[in-house]
Amino acid sequence: MSSSADTKEKIYWVPLESSPEALSKVMHGMGVDKATGFSDVWGLDEELLGMVAQPVRALVFLFPMTDKYVQQRKQYFEGINNNKVSPNVWYMRQTIGNACGTMAIFHALGNNQKDIKIDGELAKFFERVKDMTPDERAAELETTRAMAEAHKEGAADGQTAVPEADANVLHHYVAFVN
């Protein structure tokens, strides 16, 4: 016997281009004040870090996924309960394919709600999911059209060709939050 969860079709979003403009467009489309934005980090020496707008609330990092990384990540997540997270950390599980850029935005903002002005659909989303588990938040995101539209608009612009939503992307975004 199968449940509806077993037959549910995987949802994919078009991968985001790795640019501050694309990430900022998604974030602003969700309802974040335009005074907040992303910028490139060109290096980690003091002079280059001095060029980054302050204060820094999070770092969104894009890296190439190797077979070794994918295997280690799979083993790690098999051994933990995704729904048991510190109450001091805002976390949502990623269930939408190729949405890691927007997931990094959610984690950067979700963990900085006291310091960043968030309005509109994103504020409503955070309010709806505040008492949910990471899996329940993921399920809510799958049905929240406004978030999908903000992502789609950000993914449509850029300097590179837009891939198909279900493209096999070999890079992954993560967020490090302050």
Side-chain angles (χ1 to χ4, degrees):
M1 174 183 263
S2 68
S3 70
S4 62
D6 295 334
T7 59
K8 188 171 134 183
E9 189 171 321
K10 176 87 172 162
I11 298 170
Y12 290 89
W13 287 357
V14 173
L16 287 179
E17 179 177 273
S18 177
S19 73
E21 296 81 14
L23 296 171
S24 294
K25 185 169 184 173
V26 171
M27 178 177 65
H28 297 148
M30 291 178 177
V32 175
D33 187 83
K34 292 196 189 266
T36 301
F38 288 92
S39 64
D40 281 321
V41 176
W42 294 103
L44 299 178
D45 65 301
E46 192 172 325
E47 182 180 330
L48 292 174
L49 287 175
M51 295 169 41
V52 177
Q54 298 293 320
V56 174
R57 301 283 181 207
L59 173 71
V60 173
F61 182 69
L62 180 70
F63 65 95
M65 288 192 309
T66 63
D67 291 338
K68 182 178 179 180
Y69 166 79
V70 172
Q71 184 61 33
Q72 287 176 333
R73 184 173 183 256
K74 182 179 177 185
Q75 289 174 347
Y76 174 78
F77 281 108
E78 286 173 353
I80 66 165
N81 178 348
N82 256 341
N83 285 313
K84 191 166 187 149
V85 178
S86 166
N88 300 321
V89 175
W90 192 95
Y91 175 69
M92 175 169 52
R93 191 166 155 250
Q94 180 180 341
T95 57
I96 300 171
N98 290 336
C100 59
T102 298
M103 293 301 295
I105 293 169
F106 274 110
H107 289 111
L109 296 170
N111 286 288
N112 284 289
Q113 293 180 62
K114 293 178 182 171
D115 299 314
I116 296 174
K117 184 171 173 43
I118 301 171
D119 290 314
E121 295 301 322
L122 186 57
K124 293 175 192 174
F125 179 81
F126 280 145
E127 181 61 30
R128 273 196 319 275
V129 304
K130 70 179 178 185
D131 295 321
M132 293 182 180
T133 67
D135 286 337
E136 291 168 338
R137 289 174 178 169
E140 180 69 18
L141 179 61
E142 289 180 1
T143 62
T144 306
R145 185 175 176 85
M147 299 297 108
E149 286 301 317
H151 172 93
K152 183 178 177 182
E153 288 179 24
D157 290 344
Q159 299 175 6
T160 58
V162 178
E164 294 296 320
D166 63 351
N168 184 20
V169 178
L170 303 176
H171 291 80
H172 187 63
Y173 285 96
V174 293
F176 298 94
V177 296
N178 186 6

